[in-house]
């Protein structure tokens, strides 16, 4: 599973990396939305976990750029899940408007994390397993 994580907080990076590695997933972690867009340009990802508030470029902006470029290039849609403590209904609506497919709330619950990853990847048909 090719999983990209955009997260600026070092402690959160370590937590998500540890949780995913325990599940057999080795993520690539970048520190902001700008780096996420560049990583998306360079690789084919099964899923992106995108923090919302980051320096350089926030998650919704990065997601919007990726979505626009997918359309321009006629590329398949990469599932993008918001990874945030800001998980109220009106915020989720904003994330979906930016092109995100769902949300994983912080603090992270490992069962919900793995379930969301599995559902997003299966729904998109991009990977054989999650």
């Amino acid at each position: 599973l090719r999983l990209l994580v955009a997260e600026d907080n070092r402690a959160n990076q370590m937590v998500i990396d540890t949780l995913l590695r325990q599940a057999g997933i080795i993520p690539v972690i970048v520190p902001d939305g700008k780096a996420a867009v560049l990583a998306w340009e360079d690789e084919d990802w099964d899923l992106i976990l995108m923090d919302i508030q980051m320096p350089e470029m926030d998650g919704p902006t990065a997601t919007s750029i990726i979505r626009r470029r997918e359309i321009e290039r006629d590329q398949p849609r990469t599932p993008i899940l918001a990874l945030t403590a800001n998980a109220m209904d009106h915020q989720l609506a904003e994330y979906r408007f930016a092109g995100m497919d769902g949300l994983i709330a912080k603090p992270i619950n490992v069962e919900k994390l793995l379930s969301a990853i599995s559902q997003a990847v299966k729904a998109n048909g991009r990977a054989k397993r999650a």
Side-chain angles (χ1 to χ4, degrees):
L1 183 67
R2 298 279 307 142
L3 195 145
L4 177 65
V5 178
E7 170 63 62
D8 64 312
N9 181 285
R10 184 68 185 128
N12 290 344
Q13 289 175 353
M14 291 171 54
V15 168
I16 193 80
D17 186 64
T18 299
L19 293 174
L20 291 171
R21 286 177 185 271
Q22 288 174 347
I25 301 168
I26 301 172
V28 172
I29 300 175
V30 296
D32 58 57
K34 184 176 179 182
V37 172
L38 292 173
W40 175 84
E41 294 273 354
D42 290 340
E43 305 256 355
D44 184 32
W45 301 98
D46 296 312
L47 177 68
I48 300 172
L49 300 180
M50 186 79 74
D51 188 21
I52 297 301
Q53 297 176 338
M54 296 181 283
E56 294 291 321
M57 181 183 294
D58 66 27
T61 300
T63 299
S64 295
I65 291 169
I66 289 169
R67 294 296 181 231
R68 185 175 64 246
R69 291 182 183 169
E70 286 171 337
I71 292 167
E72 291 169 355
R73 299 171 185 177
D74 196 28
Q75 290 180 283
R77 183 179 173 99
T78 303
I80 301 175
L81 300 177
L83 187 62
T84 183
N86 301 321
M88 297 180 74
D89 287 343
H90 72 281
Q91 293 164 318
L92 178 56
E94 291 173 23
Y95 309 150
R96 288 199 183 278
F97 182 77
M100 294 180 173
D101 300 296
L103 180 139
I104 298 168
K106 294 177 187 176
I108 297 170
N109 172 296
V110 69
E111 290 84 16
K112 289 181 181 178
L113 170 68
L114 297 177
S115 176
I117 290 171
S118 179
Q119 289 175 8
V121 172
K122 286 178 185 173
N124 201 50
R126 291 190 52 116
K128 303 223 182 329
R129 62 174 182 83

